[in-house]
Amino acid sequence: MMPRRASQKNAAVAPIHTDMKKRILLLGSTGSIGRNALSVIDALGESWQVVALAAGSNAKDLAEQANRLDVEAVAIADEGAAADLHDALTGSPTPTKCFTGTDALVDLVNGVDFDIIISAVVGTGGLGATIRAVELGKHVALANKESLVIAGSVLMGLAQETGAKIIPVDSEHSAIFQAMQAGNREDVEKIYLTASGGPFRTWSPEAMAEITVQEALRHPTWDMGPKITIDSATMMNKALEIVEARWLFDIDPDRIEVVVHPESIVHSLVEFRDGSVIAQLGTPDMRTPIQYALTYPDRIACPSPRLDLYAAGTLTFEKPDLDRFPALRLGHQVAEKGGTCGAVFNAANEVAVEMFRADALSFGDIARFSEKILTEHNFIAQPTLEQLLEADAWARQEVAKCTAC
Ligand code: NDP
Ligand code: MG
């Protein structure tokens, strides 16, 4: 296939050409994005090869994937799962290289020859390997938004130095990335980040005080992993996405507006200086943005269902309610203030979500405690990576103490 020419005037990154065999390293292969990525790569055909996989602790599924795809190497973060992984790997005809422990994902990135990395670990666990891939100047299909929230300034600065291409997988950011190709970057006036509103969009404050874990895990339009599903219910996900957009597109946070769009058909919009608003639409299916992050700027037939405009019918847009969803206000504050705020906010939310899932916190406490930790933290305006990691560790300890607050 002949690679198509990318728009020279505004392309955020250079194109990935699809005329050679692409070697892919997939982090988070046992998760929702990871499994969707495998189905996309399978449908893309023989020019696309998964060469390495990584997961957190699910040795059984990781080994099954590794054996089926005959990958060269695997990594698992949980030391306790290493023996099960070793036992289950058949490694035929050559033994599968196996990395385990806290540095396993970074070791995998260092130890495998690859062209594209899909960073689809959930949470802070994805940061080290993502940074390493950016240091190596690789093409990074980035689903792990937490990396950008924690260390956006570091990652984007590094990408500029090394020429690494960070291409968003997150559906809204993929939409913005695509819409931006309709004009010059300096003519972008505003980004409209769409949000489904989650399962509690229409709930009263009284009803929201009683939200259970099961209710929060029931997303109306997207089928995703548990952490991001809870984040969508609190709208923390949109708060994290404001920060993600701020770094990815180097845009002033006050030019980012969240708009609630319950149908999840319009994935986001970009408004240009002349008043033209360019949107990307599609069914709510992550395989489309995952594939685009791999094949950009080419567009290849994708397994996700096509959008039926007549079936979709009416598309609606609402202003978000900042009283019922205070996370959105926090997201803007974090994006505006920068520094250590992203690391603290993300870590506080991660721990609070785990505690909510364990019935140790209420739904409303997630945003409440994240705000408290954010306010109390020792702000550093231009932190090093080490200081960001220290801020992350501090925030985790502080939220864990919050049950007693
Ligand atoms: P899942 O919970 O479904 O999967 C998470 C993956 O990360 C699993 O493979 C898990 O392994 C692995 N993992 C977790 N912790 C670690 C760790 N410390 N080290 C190595 N691997 C680890 O999450 P999703 O697929 O839903 O989300 C992945 C990322 O993509 C998140 O950042 C999310 O915000 C983002 N995203 C997801 C979307 C979606 O539709 N799901 C949409 C847009 C963005 P194991 O199975 O062994 O635990
Ligand atoms: Mg999203």
Side-chain angles (χ1 to χ4, degrees):
M1 177 181 305
M2 287 295 292
R4 229 176 292 150
R5 201 170 64 85
S7 161
Q8 293 301 308
K9 57 180 185 210
N10 67 345
V13 296
I16 298 170
H17 296 298
T18 54
D19 51 356
M20 288 177 294
K21 194 151 184 151
K22 292 291 174 197
R23 294 170 58 82
I24 301 172
L25 192 160
L26 173 56
L27 305 179
S29 62
T30 52
S32 166
I33 292 287
R35 289 173 199 277
N36 274 312
L38 288 178
S39 93
V40 162
I41 296 163
D42 184 45
L44 281 172
E46 284 181 0
S47 312
W48 300 80
Q49 184 188 3
V50 180
V51 294
L53 300 168
S57 59
N58 185 345
K60 181 172 167 285
D61 288 3
L62 181 61
E64 182 280 314
Q65 292 173 338
N67 293 337
R68 176 164 48 86
L69 299 167
D70 193 20
V71 299
E72 295 167 13
V74 290
I76 197 151
D78 180 1
E79 203 86 63
D84 286 347
L85 180 62
H86 274 290
D87 291 349
L89 287 171
T90 52
S92 147
T94 27
T96 317
K97 253 193 264 177
C98 194
F99 301 94
T100 59
T102 39
D103 296 330
L105 272 62
V106 176
D107 294 342
L108 184 73
V109 173
N110 285 326
V112 172
D113 175 27
F114 66 95
D115 301 302
I116 302 177
I117 183 168
I118 304 175
S119 172
V121 165
V122 64
T124 310
L127 178 64
T130 305
I131 290 183
R132 187 64 195 132
V134 172
E135 279 173 350
L136 292 171
K138 297 291 184 181
H139 294 279
V140 182
L142 185 66
N144 178 243
K145 66 189 81 182
E146 294 91 345
S147 289
L148 278 174
V149 175
I150 301 164
S153 60
V154 173
L155 270 174
M156 297 314 283
L158 262 180
Q160 265 196 337
E161 276 172 32
T162 64
K165 301 149 179 76
I166 302 180
I167 307 178
V169 165
D170 213 348
S171 57
E172 297 80 358
H173 302 72
S174 175
I176 294 161
F177 180 70
Q178 294 178 57
M180 279 196 169
Q181 290 166 45
N184 296 318
R185 187 57 71 92
E186 60 272 23
D187 295 330
V188 170
E189 234 172 52
K190 197 168 180 175
I191 284 175
Y192 289 96
L193 203 56
T194 54
S196 70
F200 310 125
R201 180 176 61 90
T202 57
W203 284 36
S204 69
E206 295 72 32
M208 286 181 76
E210 307 292 326
I211 287 169
T212 65
V213 176
Q214 281 66 35
E215 286 166 337
L217 282 171
R218 238 177 273 133
H219 196 279
T221 48
W222 291 97
D223 180 12
M224 309 180 285
K227 192 254 178 186
I228 187 176
T229 305
I230 304 280
D231 284 348
S232 299
T234 53
M235 293 195 80
M236 272 289 182
N237 182 49
K238 214 46 57 181
L240 300 176
E241 289 183 355
I242 294 170
V243 187
E244 182 185 12
R246 181 257 172 276
W247 292 116
L248 266 178
F249 305 111
D250 190 21
I251 188 161
D252 205 333
D254 66 12
R255 291 173 184 258
I256 303 173
E257 182 166 339
V258 172
V259 56
V260 176
H261 167 52
E263 296 83 12
S264 300
I265 298 288
V266 178
H267 297 311
S268 276
L269 315 89
V270 174
E271 184 172 332
F272 287 92
R273 190 198 294 268
D274 63 354
S276 291
V277 180
I278 311 289
Q280 187 257 345
L281 283 72
T283 49
D285 188 317
M286 285 308 295
R287 288 173 296 182
T288 309
I290 292 169
Q291 178 170 301
Y292 190 68
L294 299 177
T295 66
Y296 165 80
D298 291 328
R299 291 190 183 270
I300 297 173
C302 183
S304 40
R306 294 300 170 95
L307 175 60
D308 178 344
L309 281 175
Y310 303 107
T314 309
L315 301 181
T316 57
F317 302 93
E318 302 163 8
K319 273 199 185 297
D321 181 341
L322 300 188
D323 293 329
R324 285 185 306 122
F325 297 100
L328 290 175
R329 186 172 33 79
L330 299 177
H332 264 290
Q333 279 171 16
V334 169
E336 261 151 36
K337 209 162 168 209
T340 35
C341 286
V344 168
F345 183 57
N346 176 71
N349 177 56
E350 253 179 61
V351 178
V353 169
E354 276 169 28
M355 291 170 74
F356 169 65
R357 288 179 66 192
D359 282 328
L361 288 187
S362 74
F363 183 80
D365 284 342
I366 299 175
R368 218 171 358 257
F369 289 164
S370 299
E371 179 165 22
K372 176 174 155 42
I373 304 300
L374 196 56
T375 315
E376 288 174 358
H377 100 275
N378 199 0
F379 178 70
I380 304 173
Q382 294 195 314
T384 60
L385 182 58
E386 201 183 359
Q387 287 170 324
L388 288 168
L389 296 175
E390 280 167 13
D392 170 292
W394 174 84
R396 281 169 201 277
Q397 284 174 10
E398 292 305 303
V399 188
K401 290 182 204 156
C402 267
T403 37
C405 305

